[in-house]
Amino acid sequence: MKKSYEILNDPFLNKGTAFSKEERAKFGLNGLLPPYIQTIDEQAKQIYVQFEKKSSLLEKRHFLMEIFNTNRTLFYYLFSEHVVEFMPIVYDPVIAESIEQYSELFVNPQNAAFLSINEPENVEETLKNAADGRNIRLIVVTDAEGILGIGDWGTNGVDISIGKLMVYTAAAGINPESVLPVVLDVGTNRETLLKDPFYLGNRHERIRGDRYYDFIDKFVQIAEKLFPDLYLHWEDFGRSNAANILNKYKDKIATFNDDIQGTGIITLAAILGALNITGEKLTDQKYMCFGAGTAGAGIAKRVYEEMIENGLSEEEAYKRFYLVDRQGLLFDDMEDLTPEQRPFARKRTEFPNSKELTNLTAAVKAVKPTILVGTSTVPGTFTKEIVEEMASYIERPMIFPLSNPTKLAEATAQDLLKWTDGKALIATGIPYDPIKYNGATYEIGQANNALIYPGLGLGVLASGAKILTDKMISAAAHSLGGIVDVSKPGAAVLPPVAKLTEFSETVALAVGKCALEEKQNRKPVDDIKQAIDNLKWKPEYADLSF
């Protein structure tokens, strides 16, 4: 039984000024708090007034993190009241700036587990220490090699695991006591970190090869042993490792890679939303992605699999995909292709001018795609020339500049509307307010993985699924259909963040039903809707006086 300052310093138990008289007496808190007893609503209003006084977004984030560090329930109550406003502050894009300054501003480990490749013998002890007796159901783990659009940030990347788990709780009601953020510190190749006297991670270059994969395997085996009902979420691993790790474990444990699968699901959902507006078929589209790394190749694979589900043969489906990277359109005679890129590489005999297809503009003109997706993190690459070219041969081009943060986007939504006279169907990686153009109001769908992964995780956990299957992933993408009124002028291709909790439950229900249909559940589940409701946590203070 924790008492006095122990309970005040436990973010899962602390209520601050909301402790009742009975609780104050029971836990030795008399005289340690001001006498007035506040409700959680009064606390939240008081904090929000202070929040509004912060001058920069980063200051606002640091202020909110102070609340998170001291009182989880109050933090999530406040988050639930201001989801749209807080999402870009708590997570993307402001989290990128926070990660860059993590070591310099470090004040609290935030219940994360820091695993060092130099001390593999400590993995089990570290996970036990971080869990502190809690029943962990969900881990988000990163090695921080490919953080958002900012690259390799070593141990600083633990913030991405913490941020993702915040969204799981805010969107899908995953109990914050059941989650664990983990960073695998295998070194960093960022020279500025290695030379930074304040950097808190291992100061050596990234470890590669067998030693790296042995460390990953040790982590997975111990995590699965300690937490038998675990759902394991991989986040922001580099392109040379991400798919290898996912492919090794996806058929053995309940696991998910957000960059490969999550980005693929949300982009597919955006495409399906756009097709609901145009009335066209997926199997009639030509798909081009600029940026063929982990996310780009993962999206292509997801859309390819959906085309097969819609009746195309593997050969017919592959013919509809064109990947463009820094060397131009990818051809099968290139020696530096990754295993994920190779299936989508084209033959040079298809193009009489193949040697000239070394940039995106040339590739678009040669291929004439109907869908153009950007995951390049190269700003401004969806130029006026490219966009006008697409608008010249298709009535409603689908153009998705998904790179984030804002400074890395391939194009702005305003320019895409202007260059296509309002006809482009747009999904972006960053949030946009509604845009007025030619008398109409355009809602811009944000291809934010937060629309998918919280509900996906909730569905897996509620159903007790042994693994996450392709059919469950497809069910998640399709479940977002119908949330947006596609008959409305300027309709978005994706539902708004304002409906985050609503569509997280929709996704969870679709995924959970699919898991039961595929008989993936470990234990019998009579009513998946009830199982989801039973699992969801609400930010309400429990009465501790009994």
Side-chain angles (χ1 to χ4, degrees):
M1 176 69 72
K2 292 186 177 182
K3 298 194 74 174
S4 186
Y5 288 110
E6 280 187 310
I7 199 167
L8 290 175
N9 290 328
D10 187 328
F12 300 107
L13 296 174
N14 184 28
K15 299 184 183 182
T17 53
F19 280 112
S20 67
K21 285 186 177 181
E22 293 77 13
E23 289 169 335
R24 294 181 187 208
K26 178 178 179 180
F27 297 112
L29 297 172
N30 281 333
L32 301 186
L33 294 163
Y36 182 74
I37 297 170
Q38 290 183 302
T39 65
I40 194 169
D41 191 57
E42 287 175 323
Q43 288 178 318
K45 285 183 170 64
Q46 184 181 39
I47 289 167
Y48 188 70
V49 169
Q50 298 174 57
F51 167 83
E52 287 185 303
K53 293 177 181 177
K54 306 301 177 184
S55 57
S56 72
L57 293 178
L58 189 59
E59 273 189 277
K60 289 176 185 287
R61 188 178 192 282
H62 289 157
F63 175 73
L64 291 177
M65 293 308 294
E66 289 177 17
I67 310 303
F68 176 83
N69 293 339
T70 56
N71 187 332
R72 291 286 199 277
T73 306
L74 179 56
F75 171 83
Y76 285 111
Y77 182 92
L78 192 65
F79 199 163
S80 68
E81 295 279 301
H82 305 278
V83 170
V84 175
E85 184 179 7
F86 283 10
M87 271 293 291
I89 296 171
V90 165
Y91 191 58
D92 184 32
V94 179
I95 197 170
E97 192 176 351
S98 176
I99 287 168
E100 291 172 352
Q101 299 181 39
Y102 180 84
S103 289
E104 285 82 352
L105 301 174
F106 177 84
V107 292
N108 191 300
Q110 295 163 344
N111 302 96
F114 298 81
L115 299 177
S116 171
I117 196 168
N118 300 324
E119 299 175 333
E121 68 279 5
N122 290 340
V123 169
E124 183 163 355
E125 180 188 1
T126 299
L127 292 177
K128 285 180 178 178
N129 289 343
D132 194 26
R134 294 178 289 132
N135 178 26
I136 301 300
R137 301 286 309 277
L138 169 63
I139 285 178
V140 173
V141 58
T142 186
D143 77 350
E145 186 175 7
I147 295 286
L148 298 168
I150 59 175
D152 180 352
W153 280 91
T155 280
N156 289 17
V158 69
D159 239 7
I160 207 76
S161 295
I162 295 164
K164 281 283 182 183
L165 287 169
M166 288 177 177
V167 179
Y168 267 109
T169 297
I174 305 296
N175 190 329
E177 285 195 65
S178 70
V179 308
L180 183 65
V182 175
V183 62
L184 305 176
D185 189 345
V186 299
T188 178
N189 292 342
R190 184 173 291 275
E191 198 66 26
T192 54
L193 289 181
L194 294 174
K195 294 179 178 178
D196 183 353
F198 296 118
Y199 178 55
L200 297 174
N202 287 326
R203 299 188 189 186
H204 57 69
E205 291 187 353
R206 283 187 171 271
I207 303 298
R208 305 285 187 191
D210 290 346
R211 184 180 167 200
Y212 173 86
Y213 287 114
D214 288 346
F215 183 55
I216 296 288
D217 200 51
K218 182 160 193 172
F219 158 68
V220 172
Q221 290 187 30
I222 292 174
E224 286 288 315
K225 181 185 78 172
L226 294 177
F227 316 120
D229 298 321
L230 182 66
Y231 178 56
L232 184 56
H233 171 138
W234 306 91
E235 186 69 28
D236 287 341
F237 284 72
R239 70 162 66 184
S240 63
N241 294 318
N244 292 342
I245 293 169
L246 178 64
N247 291 337
K248 180 172 182 178
Y249 299 107
K250 68 177 183 178
D251 296 325
K252 301 174 183 175
I253 62 174
T255 194
F256 168 76
N257 183 299
D258 191 41
D259 308 289
I260 297 173
Q261 296 166 296
T263 308
I265 297 168
I266 194 62
T267 306
L268 173 59
I271 291 170
L272 296 174
L275 294 173
N276 282 340
I277 293 172
T278 65
E280 296 173 351
K281 295 180 180 178
L282 177 64
T283 50
D284 291 334
Q285 307 306 310
K286 278 187 183 179
Y287 179 97
M288 179 176 284
C289 182
F290 180 52
T294 300
I299 296 169
K301 188 172 187 293
R302 179 71 257 153
V303 180
Y304 159 79
E305 288 169 348
E306 191 68 21
M307 285 194 176
I308 291 175
E309 285 285 321
N310 280 260
L312 293 185
S313 67
E314 291 186 7
E315 185 179 0
E316 289 171 329
Y318 273 128
K319 287 180 180 178
R320 300 182 183 276
F321 288 83
Y322 303 82
L323 269 57
V324 183
D325 211 72
R326 53 185 174 271
Q327 63 269 59
L329 186 64
L330 299 188
F331 289 102
D332 61 5
D333 61 356
M334 293 176 171
E335 296 180 356
D336 56 350
L337 298 178
T338 67
E340 292 68 47
Q341 293 170 343
R342 189 162 292 283
F344 297 103
R346 312 300 301 203
K347 295 186 182 300
R348 289 195 182 272
T349 53
E350 297 177 51
F351 300 94
N353 63 335
S354 65
K355 291 184 179 180
E356 299 171 13
L357 304 183
T358 57
N359 59 72
L360 181 61
T361 304
V364 168
K365 289 182 176 180
V367 172
K368 298 192 181 304
T370 60
I371 303 170
L372 179 61
V373 174
T375 57
S376 67
T377 67
V378 183
T381 42
F382 288 2
T383 62
K384 183 179 181 183
E385 182 181 3
I386 287 172
V387 173
E388 288 183 344
E389 171 71 17
M390 289 187 69
S392 72
Y393 59 77
I394 184 171
E395 178 69 18
R396 303 296 305 274
M398 297 179 219
I399 308 177
F400 300 167
L402 302 185
S403 293
N404 56 73
T406 305
K407 63 184 178 182
L408 301 179
E410 289 84 3
T412 67
Q414 291 89 340
D415 281 344
L416 294 179
L417 290 173
K418 181 180 176 182
W419 295 337
T420 61
D421 196 27
K423 294 179 181 178
L425 293 163
I426 303 166
T428 59
I430 58 174
Y432 275 93
D433 292 329
I435 299 171
K436 292 190 181 296
Y437 179 81
N438 278 355
T441 300
Y442 289 81
E443 304 285 343
I444 305 300
Q446 185 188 2
N448 187 331
N449 292 15
L451 303 181
I452 286 288
Y453 70 79
L456 190 72
L458 179 60
V460 170
L461 290 171
S463 65
K466 293 174 284 189
I467 61 171
L468 174 63
T469 67
D470 284 341
K471 285 190 176 181
M472 292 160 68
I473 289 170
S474 180
H478 281 275
S479 68
L480 293 184
I483 295 179
V484 175
D485 180 4
V486 297
S487 65
K488 182 182 174 184
V493 299
L494 288 166
V497 172
K499 293 187 176 181
L500 189 61
T501 54
E502 176 185 328
F503 51 64
S504 290
E505 185 158 341
T506 301
V507 170
L509 194 57
V511 170
K513 283 181 178 178
C514 187
L516 299 184
E517 288 168 4
E518 292 194 282
K519 303 188 186 306
Q520 290 295 339
N521 47 309
R522 294 186 183 95
K523 299 175 183 177
V525 178
D526 296 326
D527 184 339
I528 188 61
K529 174 87 168 57
Q530 189 61 51
I532 289 169
D533 290 342
N534 291 344
L535 189 61
K536 290 182 74 172
W537 173 86
K538 293 181 180 179
E540 301 170 344
Y541 288 139
D543 187 349
L544 303 177
S545 61
F546 296 104

